[in-house]
Amino acid sequence: MVDVVSDIALVESDRAACAKSRLVACLTSRDDAAAYVEAMSDDVFSTGYQHKSFLLAWLSQQDAKPFFLVFSAPGHGDVLLPLEMQKFGIARYCGGTHANGNFPVGKIEDIHALVGTSWSEFVHLIRTLPAHPDAIFLERQHASLEGVKNPFVFPSSAISPNVALSLSLEGGFSKVLERHHAKRKRKRQRSQMRKLEAMGKVEIIQHVPCEDVRSVLERFFVLKAERFKEQGICDVFQEQQVREMFTQMFMASCKAKLPRHVLKTVTLDDQIISIIGCTIHRDRLIVEFGTIDNRFASGGPGDLLFFHAMEDACDKGLDIFDFGIGDEFYKRSWCEIETWHHDATLAITHRGKAMVAYKHLRSQFVRAIKSNEIVWAQLKKLRRFFRWVRFC
């Protein structure tokens, strides 16, 4: 990490206790935040959603409003909490709902040095800044990651309403299949391939080349919007800055020697009928997004693409195939690992306290609905029936 001294004002939480207290600084300029991220050393510990490539793609958007908090314990280096300012004076992890499994950024020993700091200490530090939000919502966080504790998950933090599902790739693809009904999976894959081949020439592309990235993403945004409309769900990709962020991220990656962000597709007579976008980070393949062309749903192009994507991940020696957040049948048919993230809320002002109270009530309501299988199934049916209403 870089040393924040001259361009970034270092603020003391209490001048009399400065020598033995934590320090905090804040970056609110896109240029300053981008320079800070660019200067981070390569050995910092992060998730794929707080990695340089993700943060720089987000910061490249003109509408980006960074609120980067930089903490440091005495005798230790920087720990970055990359947040963005949103409406109503709320700060969240950069990327909003597109960032999942979040974690602060820094060297492991520096992150560890902040463990044990209470939420009230962090709130006190943030209040000393020249400008601060009304509330900070640290959602979908790992409580610990690869044995490293998250200092921003507190005893009072709540479990996030939605589970994240993944599977181990230990033993290679043949072993993965053995653990998940190999005979049935192979039979299903052959059946899907036969159905699609009866319609035309099928090609599975494991790494979309640079010259096709933009057109493939444009195709994805169109298909995904149709799927969201059919399901009565708000299109989280509809904003242009979100679309451009992902385009920048995948375009930059495809030029790298070891790409971190990869698009995979199934084509039928050169027409894309299934797409997934993946991040490769620390021996884990994470599915960022995916969709299919509904006209070919009977041929199972989505299942077919996941089957071959897992096989490719095994061939590359990866350890985990991560489907990300969301409890769906197609994920459950593969996954044996459940990850429950944690939400922490920090009320900085009196107005923020009201926001935090509302957030807690809403999360409890959502969790109660999704934990009741009958109610949740009926609600999804109702949502599809009234698909002209967007459930955002």
Side-chain angles (χ1 to χ4, degrees):
M1 305 289 282
V2 294
D3 187 19
V4 186
V5 285
S6 56
D7 293 334
I8 308 168
L10 203 58
V11 183
E12 300 174 354
S13 65
D14 188 319
R15 291 189 181 276
C18 175
K20 54 184 179 181
S21 181
R22 276 74 175 167
L23 299 174
V24 63
C26 181
L27 291 166
T28 57
S29 159
R30 283 176 55 228
D31 290 341
D32 288 345
Y36 187 92
V37 172
E38 286 277 17
M40 290 193 307
S41 58
D42 293 332
D43 61 348
V44 294
F45 187 78
S46 75
T47 71
Y49 300 100
Q50 282 76 49
H51 187 269
K52 279 185 179 184
S53 58
F54 187 94
L55 294 178
L56 289 174
W58 180 81
L59 285 165
S60 69
Q61 306 311 303
Q62 289 188 351
D63 291 337
K65 297 178 180 178
F67 187 77
F68 281 20
L69 292 173
V70 184
F71 296 93
S72 59
H76 287 272
D78 297 343
V79 175
L80 172 66
L81 202 59
L83 309 179
E84 63 172 297
M85 284 297 299
Q86 297 185 340
K87 59 184 179 180
F88 306 123
I90 297 172
R92 286 184 165 98
Y93 277 104
C94 293
T97 56
H98 297 288
N100 302 298
N102 299 308
F103 206 82
V105 184
K107 293 185 177 180
I108 291 176
E109 60 270 23
D110 298 328
I111 296 173
H112 180 73
L114 289 177
V115 173
T117 307
S118 69
W119 69 267
S120 59
E121 288 181 80
F122 282 124
V123 168
H124 181 65
L125 280 168
I126 294 165
R127 282 175 179 164
T128 65
L129 292 168
H132 50 70
D134 291 306
I136 296 177
F137 293 169
L138 303 176
E139 298 163 304
R140 300 176 301 280
Q141 297 187 108
H142 286 288
S144 64
L145 186 62
E146 299 180 25
V148 182
K149 289 186 177 180
N150 187 341
F152 299 99
V153 172
F154 313 106
S156 60
S157 296
I159 303 295
S160 300
N162 299 303
V163 67
L165 298 172
S166 57
L167 68 146
S168 169
L169 301 179
E170 183 180 2
F173 193 54
S174 60
K175 293 295 183 182
V176 169
L177 287 177
E178 285 179 18
R179 296 194 296 270
H180 299 281
H181 311 288
K183 185 176 180 180
R184 186 190 308 169
K185 287 284 198 295
R186 289 192 185 279
K187 182 179 179 180
R188 181 177 176 84
Q189 186 269 336
R190 289 194 297 269
S191 174
Q192 290 166 341
M193 183 62 82
R194 283 196 299 270
K195 287 181 180 179
L196 292 174
E197 286 178 336
M199 303 179 202
K201 178 185 175 183
V202 179
E203 186 176 4
I204 297 165
I205 301 171
Q206 293 287 358
H207 187 177
V208 171
C210 286
E211 59 269 21
D212 296 331
V213 165
R214 187 172 288 275
S215 61
V216 168
L217 282 171
E218 288 174 355
R219 172 75 169 156
F220 165 75
F221 295 136
V222 170
L223 292 177
K224 195 64 175 178
E226 292 174 357
R227 294 282 289 179
F228 280 139
K229 183 178 180 180
E230 177 67 24
Q231 295 169 330
I233 302 173
C234 182
D235 183 358
V236 296
F237 296 96
Q238 65 183 341
E239 295 182 3
Q240 187 58 39
Q241 62 264 31
V242 172
R243 297 184 175 197
E244 191 58 32
M245 179 191 79
F246 280 109
T247 301
Q248 292 275 350
M249 192 168 71
F250 281 90
M251 286 290 292
S253 178
C254 72
K255 300 172 186 176
K257 186 176 181 180
L258 295 173
R260 295 182 49 81
H261 306 284
V262 178
L263 292 172
K264 300 175 181 286
T265 64
V266 174
T267 63
L268 183 65
D269 288 337
D270 297 325
Q271 182 181 16
I272 296 170
I273 61 172
S274 180
I275 307 166
I276 58 174
C278 307
T279 292
I280 301 169
H281 183 73
R282 301 181 72 89
D283 298 323
R284 175 184 293 257
L285 184 144
I286 306 159
V287 179
E288 301 284 356
F289 52 73
T291 197
I292 64 170
D293 188 327
N294 280 336
R295 295 174 300 170
F296 304 96
S298 62
D303 287 343
L304 185 67
L305 185 53
F306 280 127
F307 185 95
H308 287 279
M310 287 179 204
E311 185 175 30
D312 184 62
C314 289
D315 290 343
K316 287 181 167 57
L318 299 176
D319 295 333
I320 297 289
F321 192 97
D322 190 339
F323 279 96
I325 284 182
D327 197 343
E328 303 291 344
F329 175 77
Y330 74 90
K331 298 181 183 181
R332 287 288 183 183
S333 70
W334 286 102
C335 297
E336 69 272 336
I337 303 171
E338 287 189 354
T339 301
W340 290 95
H341 298 128
H342 292 70
D343 297 343
T345 53
L346 291 82
I348 311 301
T349 67
H350 290 298
R351 184 168 179 258
K353 289 180 181 179
M355 295 176 182
V356 167
Y358 171 77
K359 167 73 173 168
H360 285 168
L361 288 173
R362 187 180 186 280
S363 295
Q364 289 173 3
F365 178 70
V366 172
R367 193 177 298 108
I369 289 177
K370 292 191 173 182
S371 63
N372 188 314
E373 293 183 7
I374 296 175
V375 173
W376 181 227
Q378 292 300 317
L379 183 60
K380 286 193 287 187
K381 288 181 181 179
L382 189 66
R383 187 174 61 186
R384 287 193 293 271
F385 184 77
F386 292 104
R387 56 181 178 267
W388 49 271
V389 178
R390 293 292 175 269
F391 290 81
C392 299

